[in-house]
Amino acid sequence: MGERQITLEVMRYRPETDTEPVFQTYAVPCQEEWVVLDALNYVKDNLDRSLSFRWSCHMAVCGSCAMVVNGTPMLSCKAFLRDLPDTIQVEPLRNFPIERDLVVVLDDFMEKLRSVKPYIVPKEAPATPDGTFRQSTKQLKMFKPFAMCINCLACYSVCPQYGLNEGFAGPAALALAHRYNADSRDVGRKAREDVVASNVGIWECTFVGACSEVCPKDVDPAAAIQQTKIASTVDYFTDLILPGRKVKGGPGKAAGGKA
Amino acid sequence: MSNRPYVRPMAPSWYMQEGRYVRYMVREVTCLFIALHALVLIVGAFRLSQGPEAFNGYLQALWGPAGILLGLVLLVTTVIHSCTWFNLTPKAMPLWIGDKKAPGWIVVAAHYGGWAVVSLVILVLVGSL
Ligand code: SF4
């Protein structure tokens, strides 16, 4: 395999010395099969040990290496150099404070993720003798695509509503809320609504749809949020027409939740 | 967290900076023309209530050069607004057939079909067909 020279323009921010981020350019000799993360590691190993970035698995599973490459957020371990021009600009994810270089502060997302109860709130013990829940193929398919999220936060980087509105829970947290709402084993939907259907939840989303376009795992957060809007609206009007109805925790018919 | 995290401000012109945001703004802004379209029709109903002369004046205005230009602008923007929303419907309303999720185009096609049927019924009702 032949060597190719690329120019890597990396956004740097060193809080001890920089007042604002600046681009630094590195000439990187690279192999055709490399990804952007390999080029960054080449810089770290051979040119500049002070460059900071997060990564772990190098196989699009851990979600830690997402960054903005030539304007679009993506996993740098999946961004093949052969698909990119000779000059590649790399920035940290947008809409997050920069901790250092390509490392962003994730505290806000962690807090929001926690707020939507991203875990199964189980109904009473399963009736099967072995103590496990039975799920049909359809019940599994209802939530599986939304369970593929690896918390890479590429979706937050392109979401203008998250950038404009600090409180907004954002695409991945709301997609995960939907993932658990849509799970037949779960009865946590009502408890999640405090955040999900509030003024920091689904109604802040204006369906820009950019989240779904950049998601490396095809999670489709935009779809999750619109479906939650419909479910929440149906809930609201049903409550209005049938006040005091017995509230189901689960997401309705398909999930068969019982309270 | 470092003591000095750097917050990059969002540019006020963020919606002009990427094709996807421009497309989104076009979808959103065209809703104003839908409102304008509705207003034109309401004015028509109002003029109708004022008698044949008033209504003929309204029709003449619509068939004048400015009226035709307005009609064209409203037609194009209404079509853009409707089509961009129709194309998004599978995300909000996934269709399940048995335990399989149906392809999104079926949901989109159903919307276009509904649109065609409603248009046909209206055209028949007003006697154009
Ligand atoms: S929804 Fe997709 S883009 Fe957003 S954090 Fe999860 S995997 Fe990443």
Side-chain angles (χ1 to χ4, degrees):
Chain A
M1 253 321 146
E3 237 179 39
R4 176 182 163 209
Q5 278 287 332
I6 59 156
T7 305
L8 209 55
E9 295 175 358
V10 184
M11 188 178 272
R12 306 287 317 263
Y13 174 63
R14 288 140 298 196
E16 338 49 77
T17 50
D18 295 337
T19 51
E20 58 179 14
V22 285
F23 277 100
Q24 187 164 349
T25 302
Y26 302 99
V28 181
C30 59
Q31 304 290 322
E32 195 52 29
E33 70 276 13
W34 276 13
V35 289
V36 169
L37 182 58
D38 295 319
L40 287 170
N41 272 321
Y42 179 91
V43 174
K44 180 103 177 156
D45 294 344
N46 300 287
L47 306 176
D48 185 349
R49 289 170 57 189
S50 73
L51 181 65
S52 298
F53 50 96
R54 286 197 179 103
W55 71 285
S56 178
C57 75
H58 201 294
M59 49 195 269
V61 170
C62 75
S64 38
C65 72
M67 49 191 78
V68 177
V69 177
N70 284 351
T72 304
M74 55 184 84
L75 298 176
S76 58
C77 69
K78 239 183 129 184
F80 281 91
L81 298 181
R82 59 172 171 258
D83 301 328
L84 294 164
D86 287 340
T87 300
I88 300 170
Q89 207 173 63
V90 185
E91 295 167 50
L93 289 176
R94 294 177 187 158
N95 297 334
F96 291 99
I98 304 172
E99 173 95 50
R100 167 182 297 275
D101 298 341
L102 300 171
V103 178
V104 293
V105 183
L106 299 175
D107 303 15
D108 182 59
F109 168 71
M110 293 304 178
E111 203 44 57
K112 284 167 178 169
L113 182 60
R114 201 172 297 131
S115 76
V116 300
K117 304 191 194 318
Y119 41 80
I120 287 177
V121 178
K123 52 184 173 186
E124 75 274 18
T128 50
D130 58 358
T132 54
F133 284 103
R134 291 259 159 80
Q135 245 173 358
S136 68
T137 311
K138 183 178 176 187
Q139 285 172 332
L140 174 69
K141 283 183 183 171
M142 296 288 281
F143 70 82
K144 196 166 173 208
F146 305 111
M148 293 297 156
C149 175
I150 54 173
N151 295 353
C152 71
L153 306 187
C155 50
Y156 284 74
S157 181
V158 283
C159 175
Q161 294 305 343
Y162 181 67
L164 294 166
N165 177 352
E166 253 176 57
F168 180 39
L174 291 170
L176 277 166
H178 181 69
R179 174 254 172 275
Y180 289 100
N181 287 342
D183 191 315
S184 59
R185 297 163 291 182
D186 180 89
V187 289
R189 177 166 146 200
K190 272 282 151 198
R192 285 184 199 102
E193 269 193 346
D194 289 347
V195 172
V196 168
S198 74
N199 60 355
V200 293
I202 46 175
W203 302 109
E204 286 307 298
C205 166
T206 53
F207 207 172
V208 179
C211 51
S212 300
E213 288 172 19
V214 300
C215 175
K217 291 288 170 181
D218 294 328
V219 170
D220 207 345
I225 296 174
Q226 309 325 307
Q227 289 168 33
T228 312
K229 282 180 187 171
I230 291 179
S232 170
T233 308
V234 170
D235 263 0
Y236 176 81
F237 282 106
T238 319
D239 282 345
L240 217 61
I241 297 164
L242 304 169
R245 77 187 161 119
K246 207 170 164 206
V247 178
K248 261 192 192 177
K253 260 201 314 195
K258 262 199 237 155
Chain B
M1 212 206 283
S2 81
N3 292 328
R4 278 193 341 113
Y6 185 86
V7 178
R8 279 188 288 175
M10 222 167 130
S13 59
W14 61 268
Y15 52 86
M16 302 289 285
Q17 288 174 349
E18 276 186 47
R20 58 175 117 246
Y21 299 146
V22 174
R23 284 194 295 278
Y24 155 73
M25 286 308 276
V26 167
R27 185 192 81 202
E28 295 292 298
V29 167
T30 44
C31 80
L32 297 175
F33 292 88
I34 301 275
L36 188 60
H37 204 161
L39 197 71
V40 170
L41 295 177
I42 290 168
V43 168
F46 177 67
R47 300 298 275 166
L48 187 62
S49 76
Q50 290 176 324
E53 226 166 274
F55 189 63
N56 280 337
Y58 168 78
L59 287 183
Q60 255 165 23
L62 281 191
W63 283 107
I68 288 177
L69 186 68
L70 177 71
L72 280 175
V73 171
L74 290 181
L75 179 67
V76 170
T77 47
T78 306
V79 167
I80 291 175
H81 190 78
S82 310
C83 293
T84 45
W85 275 111
F86 280 0
N87 295 344
L88 286 173
T89 48
K91 285 195 189 292
M93 293 184 276
L95 177 69
W96 290 82
I97 299 176
D99 58 12
K100 284 210 176 74
K101 196 166 148 193
W105 65 263
I106 296 183
V107 181
V108 178
H111 280 81
Y112 281 102
W115 187 10
V117 169
V118 170
S119 305
L120 206 68
V121 168
I122 291 176
L123 286 176
V124 169
L125 281 181
V126 300
S128 293
L129 281 183

